[in-house]
Amino acid sequence: MGIDLGTANTLIYLDGKGIVLNEPSVVAIEKKTNQIISIGEEAKLMLGRTPGSILAVRPMRDGVIADFEIVEKMIRYFIMKVSRKKTLLRPRIVIGIPTGITEVERRAVQESCEQAGAREIYLIEEPLAAAIGSGMPTNLPLGNMIVDVGGGTTEIAVISLGSIVVETSIRVGGNEFDASIISFMKNAYNLIIGDRTAENVKNEFMNLSSSNDLKTESYVIKGRDYATGLPRHQQIKQSELKKAISAPLQKIVDAIKNSLDQTPPELSADIMDHGIVLSGGGALLRGLKKYISVATSVPVVIAKDPTHCVVKGTGIYLDQIKKLNTKQKYIKL
């Protein structure tokens, strides 16, 4: 079983079946009893809409575990949901991890999988998994650059001969775009909006490549007035949204430039020939491909099926696990 344990969504690849689960990494909890009410899609529908007695939370933050106990229960629930046979209740698991996590955070991922019932746990860096899942020729002596823009982190790696040569991990992703939109609406218009509204605005209206003649194009956002507390709506323009997310966007561009600066010359030449590959949910942000290409002067392409690259990579890694003896393996004793 391959798992992409993401800040926004958890995906599971089952050996022989492909991707069998793609659900939000959200858990709804009863505050008094601390019991879990729902997990996944049902829990996400409760975000920002729960009564005082129920709390809908994302137990993954910035690509790492924020609440160990809840993550363990979430993983166990997802494993049970996709497991048809009893033999799968103690599966061998390959799980993608950010390159920038600490040893303590790495151990937390391992222990969560162990507590969820895994008999063997293999860890693979997310950008390497994304590169494998995107179909890049990672095992050849060529420079390949992958930029995986997730919900909580952006993973950047230059890969050659099956290994990461240069790696950069920053805790900036789609969630920070949403937070920037929320902050902008409050500061500019005294309008309070929730995470889901910000995400919808980003997905439905944001376009980084729109030209100046589209500055008049507008989008209506509904929320609560900060001063009166009453519901109201506000029109915003493309240019305003671009300004709202400029800070986190610049962090991603700077991280890519820094990685390119550290890349050996021969591998840099390969990257210029083949381009930077974008994956992750953030790759779907309209205009991001062109924005990065202009900022770095390097061609950029979007991976086929970008949101599934990491979990596909864990699946391929799982298929070849016996051949990859050089990778670090964790076995529950």
Side-chain angles (χ1 to χ4, degrees):
M1 182 179 293
I3 299 179
D4 176 11
L5 188 61
T7 304
N9 292 282
T10 296
L11 294 87
I12 294 182
Y13 172 98
L14 203 57
D15 192 20
K17 294 186 178 181
I19 300 170
V20 294
L21 182 136
N22 182 358
E23 292 207 25
S25 302
V26 182
V27 180
I29 305 167
E30 170 65 47
K31 284 186 179 179
K32 289 185 178 179
T33 62
N34 207 33
Q35 287 192 334
I36 291 177
I37 297 173
S38 62
I39 298 174
E41 198 64 53
E42 290 183 6
K44 185 178 181 181
L45 293 174
M46 299 182 187
L47 282 173
R49 295 172 174 166
T50 58
S53 60
I54 299 175
L55 182 65
V57 298
R58 293 185 183 273
M60 299 292 297
R61 187 176 300 123
D62 298 335
V64 297
I65 294 173
D67 191 309
F68 176 86
E69 184 178 348
I70 294 178
V71 168
E72 177 265 310
K73 290 179 180 178
M74 183 177 73
I75 294 174
R76 183 184 294 273
Y77 170 80
F78 286 146
I79 290 175
M80 293 289 290
K81 187 170 183 177
V82 302
S83 298
R84 300 289 183 179
K85 301 177 182 179
K86 291 184 179 180
T87 54
L88 289 177
L89 296 182
R90 285 181 49 79
R92 176 189 293 119
I93 288 179
V94 174
I95 188 163
I97 57 171
T99 58
I101 67 172
T102 65
E103 191 60 38
V104 172
E105 291 166 338
R106 183 185 293 260
R107 181 66 186 175
V109 173
Q110 176 202 346
E111 290 181 353
S112 292
C113 292
E114 287 177 348
Q115 294 298 320
R119 73 177 187 272
E120 294 182 12
I121 302 112
Y122 298 78
L123 304 183
I124 181 173
E125 296 91 344
E126 283 182 357
L128 181 57
I132 294 171
S134 69
M136 296 171 71
T138 55
N139 288 325
L140 297 179
L142 293 171
N144 300 279
M145 177 175 257
I146 185 87
V147 177
D148 185 67
V149 186
T153 64
T154 295
E155 302 290 323
I156 305 163
V158 176
I159 300 166
S160 180
L161 290 171
S163 297
I164 295 176
V165 180
V166 177
E167 63 184 32
T168 304
S169 178
I170 59 172
R171 299 195 175 185
V172 177
N175 289 351
E176 188 158 341
F177 290 156
D178 299 342
S180 296
I181 293 172
I182 292 171
S183 178
F184 173 81
M185 294 306 298
K186 180 181 178 181
N187 295 332
Y189 294 108
N190 281 335
L191 188 71
I192 307 298
I193 63 173
D195 293 339
R196 292 192 65 189
T197 299
E199 184 180 8
N200 290 338
V201 173
K202 178 186 68 180
N203 294 337
E204 297 173 9
F205 184 60
M206 177 75 72
N207 190 340
L208 298 174
S209 64
S210 61
S211 57
N212 292 332
D213 61 344
L214 292 179
K215 285 186 177 180
T216 56
E217 186 180 355
S218 62
Y219 184 92
V220 176
I221 298 181
K222 299 175 183 178
R224 175 169 56 85
D225 190 281
Y226 181 71
T228 66
L230 299 176
R232 73 175 175 90
H233 65 270
Q234 176 66 50
Q235 286 191 340
I236 59 168
K237 298 177 181 179
Q238 286 278 5
S239 56
E240 293 178 296
L241 273 186
K242 289 183 186 179
K243 183 178 179 181
I245 70 163
S246 60
L249 195 58
Q250 190 59 45
K251 290 178 183 177
I252 293 175
V253 170
D254 289 344
I256 295 172
K257 288 181 176 179
N258 183 59
S259 297
L260 288 169
D261 185 55
Q262 297 178 45
T263 302
E266 294 297 333
L267 299 184
S268 293
D270 294 333
I271 294 170
M272 282 299 299
D273 289 339
H274 302 106
I276 298 169
V277 177
L278 276 182
S279 67
L284 300 177
L285 181 62
R286 286 178 294 176
L288 182 61
K289 166 187 167 181
K290 181 179 179 181
Y291 188 94
I292 293 175
S293 180
V294 171
T296 61
S297 300
V298 179
V300 177
V301 296
I302 298 176
K304 183 179 179 181
D305 199 10
T307 57
H308 294 161
C309 285
V310 172
V311 75
K312 284 182 177 179
T314 63
I316 295 170
Y317 186 88
L318 181 66
D319 292 339
Q320 300 176 348
I321 203 73
K322 293 181 181 179
K323 300 178 182 179
L324 301 175
N325 295 324
T326 59
K327 299 297 177 183
Q328 191 172 9
K329 182 173 76 170
Y330 297 91
I331 304 177
K332 183 178 179 183
L333 300 175

